[in-house]
Short mmCIF file of all heavy atoms in Angstrom, two decimals:
data_model
loop_
_atom_site.label_atom_id
_atom_site.label_comp_id
_atom_site.label_asym_id
_atom_site.label_seq_id
_atom_site.Cartn_x
_atom_site.Cartn_y
_atom_site.Cartn_z
N ASP J 1 -4.27 4.18 32.73
CA ASP J 1 -4.55 3.30 33.86
C ASP J 1 -5.54 2.22 33.46
O ASP J 1 -6.34 2.38 32.52
CB ASP J 1 -5.12 4.09 35.04
CG ASP J 1 -4.07 4.88 35.79
OD1 ASP J 1 -2.88 4.54 35.68
OD2 ASP J 1 -4.43 5.85 36.49
N VAL J 2 -5.49 1.11 34.18
CA VAL J 2 -6.45 0.03 33.95
C VAL J 2 -7.69 0.28 34.79
O VAL J 2 -7.60 0.48 36.00
CB VAL J 2 -5.84 -1.33 34.30
CG1 VAL J 2 -6.89 -2.43 34.15
CG2 VAL J 2 -4.66 -1.65 33.39
N ILE J 3 -8.84 0.29 34.13
CA ILE J 3 -10.10 0.52 34.83
C ILE J 3 -11.09 -0.59 34.47
O ILE J 3 -10.92 -1.29 33.47
CB ILE J 3 -10.72 1.89 34.48
CG1 ILE J 3 -11.04 1.96 32.98
CG2 ILE J 3 -9.76 3.02 34.87
CD1 ILE J 3 -11.81 3.21 32.57
N ALA J 4 -12.10 -0.74 35.30
CA ALA J 4 -13.13 -1.74 35.07
C ALA J 4 -14.32 -1.13 34.33
O ALA J 4 -14.59 0.06 34.44
CB ALA J 4 -13.60 -2.33 36.39
N ILE J 5 -15.00 -1.96 33.56
CA ILE J 5 -16.27 -1.60 32.94
C ILE J 5 -17.36 -2.39 33.67
O ILE J 5 -17.30 -3.63 33.69
CB ILE J 5 -16.29 -1.94 31.45
CG1 ILE J 5 -15.17 -1.20 30.71
CG2 ILE J 5 -17.65 -1.61 30.83
CD1 ILE J 5 -15.03 -1.61 29.25
N ARG J 6 -18.31 -1.70 34.26
CA ARG J 6 -19.37 -2.36 35.04
C ARG J 6 -20.74 -2.04 34.46
O ARG J 6 -20.97 -0.93 33.97
CB ARG J 6 -19.30 -1.91 36.50
CG ARG J 6 -18.01 -2.34 37.19
CD ARG J 6 -17.90 -1.76 38.58
NE ARG J 6 -16.66 -2.18 39.23
CZ ARG J 6 -16.04 -1.49 40.17
NH1 ARG J 6 -16.54 -0.34 40.58
NH2 ARG J 6 -14.92 -1.95 40.70
N ASP J 7 -21.63 -3.03 34.53
CA ASP J 7 -22.99 -2.81 34.04
C ASP J 7 -23.81 -2.09 35.11
O ASP J 7 -23.30 -1.75 36.19
CB ASP J 7 -23.63 -4.11 33.60
CG ASP J 7 -23.78 -5.13 34.73
OD1 ASP J 7 -23.74 -4.73 35.91
OD2 ASP J 7 -23.93 -6.33 34.42
N ALA J 8 -25.08 -1.88 34.82
CA ALA J 8 -25.94 -1.12 35.73
C ALA J 8 -26.08 -1.77 37.09
O ALA J 8 -26.35 -1.09 38.10
CB ALA J 8 -27.32 -0.93 35.09
N GLU J 9 -25.89 -3.08 37.17
CA GLU J 9 -26.00 -3.80 38.45
C GLU J 9 -24.67 -3.81 39.21
O GLU J 9 -24.59 -4.37 40.32
CB GLU J 9 -26.45 -5.25 38.22
CG GLU J 9 -27.92 -5.40 37.82
CD GLU J 9 -28.19 -4.91 36.41
OE1 GLU J 9 -27.36 -5.18 35.51
OE2 GLU J 9 -29.23 -4.25 36.22
N GLY J 10 -23.63 -3.25 38.63
CA GLY J 10 -22.34 -3.20 39.30
C GLY J 10 -21.45 -4.40 39.00
O GLY J 10 -20.36 -4.52 39.57
N THR J 11 -21.88 -5.28 38.11
CA THR J 11 -21.07 -6.44 37.75
C THR J 11 -20.00 -6.06 36.74
O THR J 11 -20.30 -5.39 35.74
CB THR J 11 -21.97 -7.54 37.15
OG1 THR J 11 -22.98 -7.91 38.10
CG2 THR J 11 -21.14 -8.78 36.79
N GLU J 12 -18.77 -6.51 36.98
CA GLU J 12 -17.69 -6.19 36.06
C GLU J 12 -17.85 -6.98 34.76
O GLU J 12 -17.92 -8.20 34.78
CB GLU J 12 -16.32 -6.48 36.69
CG GLU J 12 -15.15 -6.11 35.78
CD GLU J 12 -13.79 -6.29 36.44
OE1 GLU J 12 -13.65 -5.93 37.63
OE2 GLU J 12 -12.89 -6.83 35.77
N VAL J 13 -17.88 -6.26 33.67
CA VAL J 13 -18.01 -6.86 32.35
C VAL J 13 -16.64 -7.07 31.72
O VAL J 13 -16.36 -8.09 31.09
CB VAL J 13 -18.88 -5.97 31.44
CG1 VAL J 13 -18.94 -6.54 30.02
CG2 VAL J 13 -20.27 -5.81 32.02
N ALA J 14 -15.78 -6.07 31.87
CA ALA J 14 -14.46 -6.09 31.24
C ALA J 14 -13.57 -5.10 31.96
O ALA J 14 -14.00 -4.37 32.85
CB ALA J 14 -14.58 -5.76 29.77
N ARG J 15 -12.30 -5.07 31.54
CA ARG J 15 -11.37 -4.06 32.02
C ARG J 15 -10.39 -3.74 30.90
O ARG J 15 -10.21 -4.54 29.99
CB ARG J 15 -10.63 -4.51 33.28
CG ARG J 15 -9.81 -5.79 33.12
CD ARG J 15 -9.07 -6.16 34.39
NE ARG J 15 -9.96 -6.37 35.53
CZ ARG J 15 -9.56 -6.72 36.75
NH1 ARG J 15 -8.25 -6.89 36.97
NH2 ARG J 15 -10.43 -6.90 37.72
N GLY J 16 -9.78 -2.56 31.00
CA GLY J 16 -8.86 -2.19 29.93
C GLY J 16 -8.16 -0.88 30.24
O GLY J 16 -8.31 -0.30 31.32
N LEU J 17 -7.38 -0.41 29.27
CA LEU J 17 -6.59 0.80 29.43
C LEU J 17 -7.41 2.02 29.03
O LEU J 17 -7.92 2.10 27.90
CB LEU J 17 -5.33 0.74 28.56
CG LEU J 17 -4.37 -0.42 28.82
CD1 LEU J 17 -3.18 -0.32 27.87
CD2 LEU J 17 -3.89 -0.41 30.26
N ALA J 18 -7.53 2.97 29.95
CA ALA J 18 -8.34 4.17 29.71
C ALA J 18 -7.62 5.14 28.78
O ALA J 18 -6.43 5.44 28.97
CB ALA J 18 -8.64 4.85 31.04
N ASN J 19 -8.34 5.64 27.80
CA ASN J 19 -7.79 6.66 26.91
C ASN J 19 -7.95 8.06 27.48
O ASN J 19 -7.34 9.01 26.97
CB ASN J 19 -8.46 6.60 25.54
CG ASN J 19 -7.91 5.49 24.67
OD1 ASN J 19 -6.75 5.09 24.81
ND2 ASN J 19 -8.73 4.97 23.77
N TYR J 20 -8.77 8.18 28.54
CA TYR J 20 -9.00 9.49 29.16
C TYR J 20 -8.91 9.36 30.68
O TYR J 20 -9.20 8.30 31.25
CB TYR J 20 -10.38 10.04 28.77
CG TYR J 20 -10.51 10.34 27.29
CD1 TYR J 20 -11.08 9.42 26.42
CD2 TYR J 20 -10.04 11.55 26.77
CE1 TYR J 20 -11.17 9.69 25.06
CE2 TYR J 20 -10.14 11.83 25.42
CZ TYR J 20 -10.71 10.90 24.57
OH TYR J 20 -10.80 11.17 23.23
N SER J 21 -8.54 10.45 31.33
CA SER J 21 -8.50 10.47 32.79
C SER J 21 -9.92 10.47 33.33
O SER J 21 -10.89 10.69 32.60
CB SER J 21 -7.76 11.72 33.28
OG SER J 21 -8.53 12.89 32.99
N SER J 22 -10.05 10.26 34.63
CA SER J 22 -11.37 10.25 35.25
C SER J 22 -12.06 11.60 35.12
O SER J 22 -13.28 11.67 34.87
CB SER J 22 -11.25 9.86 36.73
OG SER J 22 -10.31 10.66 37.39
N ALA J 23 -11.29 12.68 35.26
CA ALA J 23 -11.88 14.02 35.12
C ALA J 23 -12.40 14.24 33.71
O ALA J 23 -13.50 14.78 33.51
CB ALA J 23 -10.84 15.08 35.47
N GLU J 24 -11.63 13.82 32.72
CA GLU J 24 -12.06 13.95 31.33
C GLU J 24 -13.24 13.04 31.04
O GLU J 24 -14.17 13.41 30.32
CB GLU J 24 -10.90 13.63 30.40
CG GLU J 24 -9.77 14.64 30.44
CD GLU J 24 -8.55 14.19 29.66
OE1 GLU J 24 -8.26 12.98 29.67
OE2 GLU J 24 -7.88 15.04 29.06
N ALA J 25 -13.21 11.82 31.61
CA ALA J 25 -14.28 10.86 31.38
C ALA J 25 -15.62 11.40 31.88
O ALA J 25 -16.67 11.18 31.25
CB ALA J 25 -13.96 9.54 32.07
N ARG J 26 -15.58 12.13 33.00
CA ARG J 26 -16.82 12.70 33.53
C ARG J 26 -17.38 13.77 32.59
O ARG J 26 -18.61 13.94 32.50
CB ARG J 26 -16.57 13.26 34.93
CG ARG J 26 -16.29 12.18 35.97
CD ARG J 26 -16.15 12.73 37.39
NE ARG J 26 -15.98 11.62 38.34
CZ ARG J 26 -14.82 11.22 38.82
NH1 ARG J 26 -13.69 11.84 38.43
NH2 ARG J 26 -14.75 10.20 39.65
N LEU J 27 -16.50 14.47 31.90
CA LEU J 27 -16.95 15.51 30.98
C LEU J 27 -17.58 14.93 29.71
O LEU J 27 -18.53 15.51 29.16
CB LEU J 27 -15.77 16.41 30.60
CG LEU J 27 -15.20 17.31 31.69
CD1 LEU J 27 -13.96 18.04 31.18
CD2 LEU J 27 -16.26 18.33 32.14
N ILE J 28 -17.05 13.80 29.23
CA ILE J 28 -17.53 13.24 27.96
C ILE J 28 -18.51 12.09 28.15
O ILE J 28 -18.96 11.49 27.18
CB ILE J 28 -16.35 12.78 27.08
CG1 ILE J 28 -15.53 11.69 27.79
CG2 ILE J 28 -15.47 13.96 26.71
CD1 ILE J 28 -14.38 11.14 26.93
N CYS J 29 -18.85 11.80 29.39
CA CYS J 29 -19.82 10.74 29.69
C CYS J 29 -21.16 11.07 29.00
O CYS J 29 -21.67 12.18 29.10
CB CYS J 29 -20.00 10.66 31.21
SG CYS J 29 -20.84 9.18 31.78
N ARG J 30 -21.70 10.10 28.26
CA ARG J 30 -22.96 10.22 27.52
C ARG J 30 -22.87 11.17 26.33
O ARG J 30 -23.89 11.57 25.76
CB ARG J 30 -24.11 10.69 28.43
CG ARG J 30 -24.33 9.88 29.67
CD ARG J 30 -24.64 8.43 29.37
NE ARG J 30 -25.99 8.18 28.89
CZ ARG J 30 -26.42 7.00 28.48
NH1 ARG J 30 -25.60 5.96 28.43
NH2 ARG J 30 -27.66 6.85 28.08
N LYS J 31 -21.64 11.50 25.92
CA LYS J 31 -21.46 12.46 24.83
C LYS J 31 -20.87 11.77 23.59
O LYS J 31 -20.04 10.87 23.69
CB LYS J 31 -20.52 13.59 25.26
CG LYS J 31 -21.02 14.40 26.45
CD LYS J 31 -22.29 15.17 26.11
CE LYS J 31 -22.61 16.20 27.16
NZ LYS J 31 -22.87 15.62 28.50
#
């Protein structure tokens, strides 16, 4: 899926194709 990349202020920096689902992304966040 196409998702947005946002900075700490919530501004969209970029968007692209996710290599992981949202559930998986939550597991590997900061890892």
